[in-house]
Amino acid sequence: MDQTLNDVLNALPMPALAIDGAERIKAANAAARTLIGQGIEGRNFVTMLRQPQLIQSIEAVLRDSTPRMSEYLSNDGVQDTTFQVSVRVVPDLNVVLLCFLDITQVQQAGQMRRDFVANVSHELRTPLTALMGFIETLRGAARDDAAARDRFLDIMEGEAGRMNRLVGDLLSLSRVEDEERVRPREKVLIDDILLSVIRTLTPLAKEMEITLKEDFGDAPAELVGDGDQLMQVFTNLIENAIKYGRKGGTVEIRIGKPERDPALRAMGVRIHVADDGPGIGEKHLPRLTERFYRADNHRSRALGGTGLGLAIVKHIINRHRGRLRVESELGKGSVFTVVLPTGAG
């Protein structure tokens, strides 16, 4: 009987243990011993599990044999882990069986969805509140004030534009997430894409007194990619470099010579977008591609940023099996490097 119980536990792909009628741990598989501790067989389950919610569930099942679900919290020294624990009687073996299912990722995904909804609600609430306030004012105190009316309408137009950009970026993010697992098939020339982006952003650069400087090397770099999405990537990166760079400064767009990249384990081409602006603090770098994360919240809003641009960039680069690297130092500018596989080698 004991051998059968051990065989059953060892066959399970998750931590599992059995508790007998004397409230002792009768058997445990290797995963359970790793989770709870070595040498747990023969010990009272209360002294080993030590979490009231789970202990109460086990005691109730021992009392009435009705299956129950509970939770068990653990920490491996790196992160907290949450297990959903199934507590059931196995009559033929005369034990209560506990199976621990790791639901950490499910909980994290749920939290991400809740945070996302909260962030979207917050981003929309501010301009909506402003619009409602100005509409009320225009219907009342400023009804016959032409100067105030024009000023308020300008502000309302800006707030409506901000909401429109946010909705557009949300739709774009949804599309690129849906397509992330679909590999692009068309061949594109990265220098043609960059030249098109530079032509589009030249008026903005002149307005911000920024000089755009390109260095594309000798040969055009051909790769397999989605031209429209790659244009979106470099429009975002170059536009950010212009907006957050130093007034009167330079933004350099450079294509490196195709070479074998260790991170890609294949031939790749590097595209660098460098500015000489104020730079980004080191603590912000790991979080730049998170949705709605802004290194400079006030300035980003003032410049019309939605906080989704780099998240979209990340998903597009992932679709192309590429890498995004950010190097920056306060007072010394920033360099955003996109590494894309060429499809050769």
Side-chain angles (χ1 to χ4, degrees), residues 223-252:
L223 51 85
V224 176
D226 184 315
D228 290 339
Q229 286 193 344
L230 290 176
M231 191 168 293
Q232 190 174 4
V233 165
F234 294 110
T235 296
N236 183 281
L237 295 181
I238 296 171
E239 185 175 18
N240 281 353
I242 293 170
K243 288 181 176 180
Y244 297 102
R246 178 177 59 86
K247 187 174 182 179
T250 300
V251 171
E252 182 179 6

Side-chain angles (χ1 to χ4, degrees), residues 35-106:
L35 175 63
I36 300 168
Q38 300 298 322
I40 60 176
E41 289 92 337
R43 304 285 296 276
N44 187 285
F45 74 84
V46 175
T47 62
M48 299 309 301
L49 297 176
R50 298 182 180 178
Q51 296 192 16
Q53 181 185 354
L54 179 55
I55 289 170
Q56 288 171 10
S57 296
I58 297 169
E59 289 174 340
V61 173
L62 284 169
R63 186 170 55 250
D64 60 21
S65 299
T66 302
R68 284 175 173 79
M69 301 296 293
S70 187
E71 283 192 355
Y72 181 82
L73 306 179
S74 180
N75 186 294
D76 60 4
V78 178
Q79 66 174 5
D80 293 329
T81 307
T82 303
F83 291 89
Q84 186 180 67
V85 187
S86 169
V87 187
R88 294 173 178 268
V89 170
V90 183
D92 291 346
L93 299 178
N94 198 30
V95 295
V96 172
L97 179 66
L98 276 62
C99 295
F100 295 73
L101 177 64
D102 188 344
I103 60 170
T104 306
Q105 289 188 341
V106 175

Side-chain angles (χ1 to χ4, degrees), residues 3 16 61 69 75 92 113 118 124 143 188 192 208 246 265 267 283 292 339:
Q3 185 57 48
V61 173
M69 301 296 293
N75 186 294
D92 291 346
R113 284 194 295 271
L124 287 172
R143 180 190 298 271
V188 297
D192 285 351
M208 304 290 287
R246 178 177 59 86
R265 298 182 180 179
M267 290 294 291
K283 69 177 181 179
F292 296 109
V339 188

